[in-house]
Amino acid sequence: MTDAIFIALQVLLAAVGVYQFVFSLFGLIKRKKKEHHAPNKSFAVLVAAHNEEQVVGALMENLKQLNYPKHLYEVFVICDNCTDRTAEIVRAHGMNAACVRIRICEARATPSNGCSRNFGRCRASSMRS
């Protein structure tokens, strides 16, 4: 009786092993190449920044090096009540910098990132149309 159980278990494990081996052989088959289509969608990148002069230059360089046609995307940096040179650095890199001050978000004492994002969306949509 015990021999029959062990033989059945061996057959089951052998079947699982053969299945996995055969399945792994399919990994050796060369896959078809995917078709790459030319980019045709436009988009805007919104960056909410507050006193980011130490890192915004590197970010602008990375955004310039996107593997995407330059005429199909725009970068908007919303300088949220900055007291440093963030806006100057962004403009030096040729990007759009909008300086947000308290007058933009009149409901609050100081502007928030949410206010900056809304301002950027409105500005991006008005520039696109």
Side-chain angles (χ1 to χ4, degrees), residues 3 8 18-19 22 45 48 50 55 64 70 73 80 82 86-87 106:
D3 290 339
V18 169
Y19 169 75
V22 170
V45 178
H50 176 72
V55 295
K64 280 190 208 176
K70 304 287 187 239
Y73 72 93
D80 193 2
C82 294
T86 302
E106 296 173 4

Side-chain angles (χ1 to χ4, degrees), residues 49-68:
H50 176 72
N51 294 340
E52 301 288 340
E53 75 176 322
Q54 294 179 356
V55 295
V56 76
L59 175 65
M60 294 301 107
E61 286 299 319
N62 287 336
L63 289 173
K64 280 190 208 176
Q65 295 173 5
L66 284 177
N67 187 16
Y68 207 78

Side-chain angles (χ1 to χ4, degrees), residues 26 29 33-34 37 40-41 50-51 64 67 71 80 92 94 109 113:
F26 286 108
I29 297 172
K33 291 184 180 179
K34 293 182 180 180
H37 301 286
N40 59 1
K41 302 287 183 187
H50 176 72
N51 294 340
K64 280 190 208 176
N67 187 16
H71 66 279
D80 193 2
N113 280 346

Side-chain angles (χ1 to χ4, degrees), residues 59-115:
L59 175 65
M60 294 301 107
E61 286 299 319
N62 287 336
L63 289 173
K64 280 190 208 176
Q65 295 173 5
L66 284 177
N67 187 16
Y68 207 78
K70 304 287 187 239
H71 66 279
L72 288 178
Y73 72 93
E74 285 188 83
V75 177
F76 295 95
V77 179
I78 296 95
C79 302
D80 193 2
N81 208 16
C82 294
T83 57
D84 61 358
R85 298 179 37 240
T86 302
E88 295 172 27
I89 294 170
V90 171
R91 287 188 186 105
H93 284 278
M95 304 294 184
N96 299 312
C99 294
V100 178
R101 298 288 177 215
I102 295 173
R103 62 182 163 78
I104 300 298
C105 294
E106 296 173 4
R108 293 188 168 176
T110 59
S112 65
N113 280 346
C115 175

